[in-house]
């Protein structure tokens, strides 16, 4: 298959981890006889520095004209410490999501058995947890009207949802549940928020078209608690943009580390794949970032955008085999054992490539 992929490294460790992700794509192309054509573009802080715009037109044009996007992260501490700056790296990411119509963000929380001890949650509570989040990505307070009034002394961000926005992501969540354990937990704050009451009403309506799926509703505060107390009780979680942002960072602890969580953002056209972690400037340049979230994002890309199931599973297996062999980046190392072999970003990438080579030898047998 011939495919065009845009690599969008972004800022901070985004660059370091996507370098490893891209190598995995190249290796898969080679082993499975595909032709992947790569292009690269700028976004975020880097793009602001060179063009004054967090998502330059040239970048957007490339993104609109490709088959899939592998993205790193955006952000810079300079902006975090100065909320008055008007042009900000995150605007690039938000504009990209909106312009490409990427309304559904899939965040699988998959726990590799080898990492049971890396989590701060008890192994007995975690074992077997497997959750798929559907976070709505182009609505909510992120995109509602926002502003200041009263001479800057009052600020507002409107939480707004339209019925069609809820319907389309609800369909995706119910359809995914059909391929899993057939349960959808919709998370909202319908005891307080009108937008959540529309959310709940709409999800209930759509749910009638999926009688084979069990639908339950939880308030976000209670869901946050249950995620840690009983992670196995969740299958598919369907939620809005802000609640989904917060709950998936929390849920990353079920998988051991933010450095393990991949995500897929999909809509009507091209798909975008990225780790859920940010640019992490505190560790940028040290070469210690975990590239597995980017590599697992590659597995999602192959599966969802290209329909390459076998290729995707080969990548997942390479990650699992690498962990089984005891290789870890610092964030997922278990302090209670001396069996871990701690690798930097690049050598973790190299380990994955080696495991892929072994898989391709057995493929060609
Ligand atoms: C994420 C990030 C972004 C978000 C930021 C960087 C704007 O936290 O992808 O989860 O809030 O959506
Ligand atoms: Mn986030």
């Amino acid at each position: 298959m011939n495919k065009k992929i845009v690599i969008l490294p972004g800022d901070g460790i985004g660059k370091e981890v996507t370098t490893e992700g891209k190598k995995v794509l190249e290796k898969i192309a080679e082993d499975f006889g595909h032709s992947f054509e790569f292009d690269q573009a700028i976004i975020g802080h880097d793009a602001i520095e060179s063009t004054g715009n967090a998502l330059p037109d040239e970048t957007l044009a490339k993104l609109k004209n490709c088959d899939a996007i592998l993205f790193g992260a955006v952000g810079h501490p300079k902006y975090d410490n100065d909320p008055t700056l008007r042009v900000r790296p995150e605007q690039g990411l938000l504009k990209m999501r909106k312009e490409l119509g990427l309304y559904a963000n899939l965040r699988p929380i998959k726990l590799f058995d080898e990492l049971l001890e890396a989590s701060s949650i008890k192994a007995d509570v975690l074992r077997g947890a497997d959750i798929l989040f559907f976070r709505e990505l182009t609505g909510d307070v992120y995109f509602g009207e926002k502003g200041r009034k009263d001479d800057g002394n009052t600020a507002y961000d409107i939480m707004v949802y339209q019925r069609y926005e809820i319907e389309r992501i609800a369909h995706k969540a119910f359809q995914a549940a059909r391929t899993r354990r057939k349960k959808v937990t919709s998370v909202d704050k319908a005891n307080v928020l009108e937008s959540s009451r529309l959310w709940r009403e709409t999800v209930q309506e759509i749910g009638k078209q999926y009688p084979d799926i069990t639908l339950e509703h939880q308030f976000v505060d209670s869901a946050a608690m249950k995620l840690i107390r009983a992670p196995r009780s969740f299958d598919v979680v369907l939620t809005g943009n802000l609640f989904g942002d917060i709950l998936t960072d929390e849920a990353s602890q079920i998988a051991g580390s933010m450095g393990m969580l991949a995500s897929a953002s999909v809509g009507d056209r091209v798909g975008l794949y990225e780790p859920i972690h940010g640019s992490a400037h505190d560790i940028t340049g040290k070469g210690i970032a975990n590239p597995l979230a980017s590599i697992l994002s590659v597995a999602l890309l192959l599966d969802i955008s290209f329909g390459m199931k076998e290729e995707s599973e080969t990548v997942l297996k390479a990650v699992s085999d690498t962990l089984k062999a005891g290789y870890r980046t610092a964030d997922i190392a278990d302090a209670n054992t001396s069996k871990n072999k701690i690798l930097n970003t690049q050598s973790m990438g190299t380990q994955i490539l080696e495991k892929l080579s072994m898989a391709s030898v057995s493929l060609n047998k």
Side-chain angles (χ1 to χ4, degrees), residues 74 90 93-94 97 107 135 137 142 241 245 274 276:
V74 286
E90 291 79 7
L93 177 57
L94 299 182
R97 288 173 178 167
R107 296 188 162 185
R135 168 190 175 195
L137 206 56
Y142 277 70
N241 204 346
D245 179 44
E274 58 166 311
I276 84 153

Side-chain angles (χ1 to χ4, degrees), residues 11 51 56 97 103 109 112 137 201 203 227 247 265 272 276 292 299 330 361:
D11 303 321
T51 69
R97 288 173 178 167
Y103 62 83
I109 312 292
F112 288 90
L137 206 56
E201 177 187 315
V203 173
L227 265 177
L247 291 178
S265 303
L272 176 132
I276 84 153
L292 293 178
V361 171

Side-chain angles (χ1 to χ4, degrees), residues 83-86 145-157:
T84 64
L85 288 171
R86 296 184 64 86
E145 194 188 322
K146 57 180 76 222
R148 297 257 180 140
K149 52 185 188 180
D150 306 333
D151 291 335
N153 294 319
T154 304
Y156 57 92
D157 300 88

